[in-house]
Amino acid sequence: MKLFDCPNCGHRLYFENAQCLNCSSLVLYDPEQAKFVLSGEGGVLPCGNADECACNWRAENGRTFCRACALNKVIPDLSIDSNRRRWIRVEAAKKRAVYSLLALGLPVMPKADAGDETGLAFDFLADPIGAGPGGERILTGHDNGLITLNVAEADSAERERRRVEMGENYRTLLGHFRHELGHYYWDRLVRDDPAYLSAFRALFGDERTDYEQALQAYYANGAPPDWQQRHISAYATSHPWEDWAETFAHHLHITDTLEMVHALNL
């Protein structure tokens, strides 16, 4: 993530800023230009979610929402206490992920309808009220361009509990987005291209291996003791699809880190 400049006074801005702390100008992030612009100038309007989830992106021309919020299919029930706070945190992480996708020149288009197999959409859902241990749970995952995320992951204590339970080194909202987006872009970039698919299988393995059986074996036996010699994470050993998704996520993580290092002249 790079640093930004106020379009009015040139003062430093950060990605989540909606106002310059130096000149008090109201600013909006413009994803098409990858920079901040002045709110209200030249027809620039805030996203319709500005007051709903603290969105600081400009609305797309002639539309209600910004490019990132337009990807939302379902948001949490805001009549439930704390869901708005969770949604704000989820949206902040999602926007960082979308920023990275656009910076890499990847296609980011919302689903036109339920039958659209190429577009991208997000469902941000909460566990049913009263669901006790062993009860119904919302699972984070990807299915044909629809990424579902359990907003409970926005609560630090709950996310840490799940991290320990799953034996993970780290677990973040942004990491979830990066990983699930990896699955989405495998479908878009690799699955239907014979050359890319052949190269994928040579490096990651044959994705036709039974997925459910592979996951069961991983959770029963864990990763091979020498997994660090060939994989980016222990979970990447479970199946070629997960190897790709973990590698994709870490690529975004490393790229973002290096961009900040460059911005700080380190």
Side-chain angles (χ1 to χ4, degrees):
M1 179 63 64
K2 66 180 183 180
L3 301 173
F4 300 89
D5 299 321
C6 172
N8 183 56
C9 72
H11 190 71
R12 176 177 290 182
L13 294 177
Y14 296 93
F15 190 60
E16 283 79 19
N17 285 151
Q19 184 173 24
C20 176
L21 298 181
N22 183 57
C23 69
S24 299
S25 294
L26 298 179
V27 295
L28 297 169
Y29 181 70
D30 184 342
E32 305 308 321
Q33 302 184 69
K35 67 178 185 179
F36 279 88
V37 295
L38 292 173
S39 180
E41 186 173 276
V44 173
L45 298 175
C47 174
N49 278 337
D51 295 329
E52 297 293 333
C53 64
C55 177
N56 68 331
W57 286 29
R58 65 167 294 176
E60 293 191 272
N61 291 332
R63 299 181 182 274
T64 301
F65 298 111
C66 70
R67 190 166 183 182
C69 287
L71 301 172
N72 293 347
K73 177 172 172 282
V74 177
I75 64 170
D77 183 353
L78 300 182
S79 68
I80 298 175
D81 290 345
S82 76
N83 268 358
R84 187 180 299 276
R85 169 179 53 80
R86 292 170 177 151
W87 183 32
I88 289 173
R89 293 176 179 174
V90 166
E91 279 294 335
K94 187 194 77 179
K95 284 181 170 60
R96 284 181 171 260
V98 172
Y99 165 89
S100 295
L101 301 178
L102 295 174
L104 291 173
L106 292 170
V108 181
M109 297 296 295
K111 278 184 172 293
D113 51 53
D116 180 3
E117 296 186 355
T118 60
L120 177 63
F122 294 93
D123 279 354
F124 300 138
L125 306 176
D127 291 329
I129 296 176
E136 183 181 354
R137 289 286 186 269
I138 298 298
L139 298 179
T140 294
H142 166 262
D143 182 17
N144 197 31
L146 176 62
I147 292 175
T148 300
L149 187 133
N150 189 330
V151 295
E153 295 279 354
D155 293 329
S156 298
E158 175 61 20
R159 191 171 61 253
E160 176 63 10
R161 184 192 68 78
R162 297 185 185 199
R163 184 194 70 79
V164 172
E165 184 179 87
M166 301 295 288
E168 299 170 338
N169 289 326
Y170 79 101
R171 186 182 183 96
T172 66
L173 282 173
L174 183 52
H176 280 311
F177 281 113
R178 288 168 172 159
H179 179 94
E180 300 306 335
L181 284 164
H183 287 300
Y184 168 71
Y185 282 106
W186 188 88
D187 287 350
R188 299 284 72 77
L189 303 177
V190 178
R191 183 188 63 190
D192 300 324
D193 187 305
Y196 283 163
L197 187 57
S198 177
F200 167 85
R201 288 172 178 165
L203 183 60
F204 293 94
D206 192 338
E207 83 289 351
R208 292 169 294 188
T209 301
D210 188 277
Y211 182 72
E212 294 301 329
Q213 290 183 9
L215 287 188
Q216 289 176 10
Y218 170 76
Y219 286 119
N221 305 316
D226 62 344
W227 66 264
Q228 292 172 316
Q229 302 300 316
R230 297 184 301 277
H231 296 86
I232 196 71
S233 71
Y235 188 55
T237 68
S238 62
H239 188 275
W241 279 336
E242 299 303 341
D243 193 0
W244 163 274
E246 285 288 274
T247 302
F248 184 92
H250 279 76
H251 174 74
L252 294 185
H253 189 170
I254 293 169
T255 300
D256 281 357
T257 301
L258 291 176
E259 188 176 41
M260 178 55 74
V261 168
H262 181 266
L264 295 174
N265 295 315
L266 296 178

